[in-house]
Amino acid sequence: MTDKILTEQSGEIARIIFNQPEKRNAVSLEMWEAVEAAATRFATDDSVRILILSGAGGKAFVSGADVSKFESERASAEAVAHYNATTKRVYDLIEAFPKPTIAQIDGFCVGGGVALALSCDLRICGENSQFAIPAAKLGLGYGFEGINRLVNVVGPSFAKEIFFTARRFDAEEARMMGLVNRVVPAEDVGRVAQETAEMIAANAPMTVASVKYIVGQTVTDESKRDLAECAARVKACFDSADYIEGRRAFLEKRKPNFVGA
């Protein structure tokens, strides 16, 4: 694997860190493959309750594809198809990740970085952050799923503005559009992301996971929604030991100790 993707775990919080700060964390095919492997591992690790994705260096989250690799990774139609299939798997994996995910955005978040952030559940950025999808400046095609994720977050009008103009949007514009959940001072991004992750990790995992699944169903085509599974997940929460623990902790005025079962 590459040292340009780092992984960490502290207690119940796991991290995937894009580690190419000299290129504003631009991503190569090798890096996407490493992210896929790390996310797959964390998804099945019961000790992990939440995943944070971030960029090293404090100047960028992810600034899109590593253009210097285009000749070796995207020069032919077959290579482009392979690259696109790999990134699609990563975005789908993060979107369907069974636990909450947070994009911790420091600085530039461009192209594939926006697509990755949109695949996360929450986005927390610094006041110095800038966002753009420059596809129209590069002549790139952009598929349905990526555009659909953006529309689900910011709505069709802002999605059109982001794509049509291909310009950079600052953090306040991103907040106003709903592209990010929170904007904080640049020096506080890591702390706020960590505190948010700790808050989520302390809550009942089955409840959190069921809400994530059901929210996902609300933005799924009605004909494809699995309402039976939604109901089953709600029932499982009420049948769980964590539900008993939550009630007892409330009555005893103490912090609950949820085990996810």
Side-chain angles (χ1 to χ4, degrees), residues 125-176:
C125 79
E127 293 172 338
N128 64 330
S129 295
Q130 297 185 51
F131 302 80
I133 302 179
K137 289 184 176 180
L138 299 169
L140 301 177
Y142 220 92
F144 174 85
E145 290 180 346
I147 293 176
N148 190 54
R149 286 191 183 102
L150 182 61
V151 171
N152 284 338
V153 172
V154 304
S157 183
F158 281 130
K160 290 174 184 177
E161 182 179 358
I162 290 169
F163 272 102
F164 290 178
T165 65
R167 71 176 179 89
R168 289 182 186 174
F169 295 83
D170 64 26
E172 179 55 28
E173 287 179 291
R175 186 199 62 78
M176 180 269 295

Side-chain angles (χ1 to χ4, degrees), residues 67-102:
V67 179
S68 69
K69 298 285 188 178
F70 273 26
E71 283 302 309
S72 60
E73 295 180 351
R74 303 173 76 175
S76 67
E78 293 78 10
V80 168
H82 177 64
Y83 183 94
N84 289 344
T86 302
T87 57
K88 180 184 183 305
R89 288 199 308 273
V90 174
Y91 300 147
D92 289 350
L93 175 60
I94 298 301
E95 183 177 44
F97 199 76
K99 305 143 189 181
T101 54
I102 297 175

Side-chain angles (χ1 to χ4, degrees), residues 107-131:
F108 289 96
C109 181
V110 179
V114 176
L116 182 65
L118 288 168
S119 299
C120 294
D121 296 310
L122 305 178
R123 288 159 291 282
I124 298 170
C125 79
E127 293 172 338
N128 64 330
S129 295
Q130 297 185 51
F131 302 80

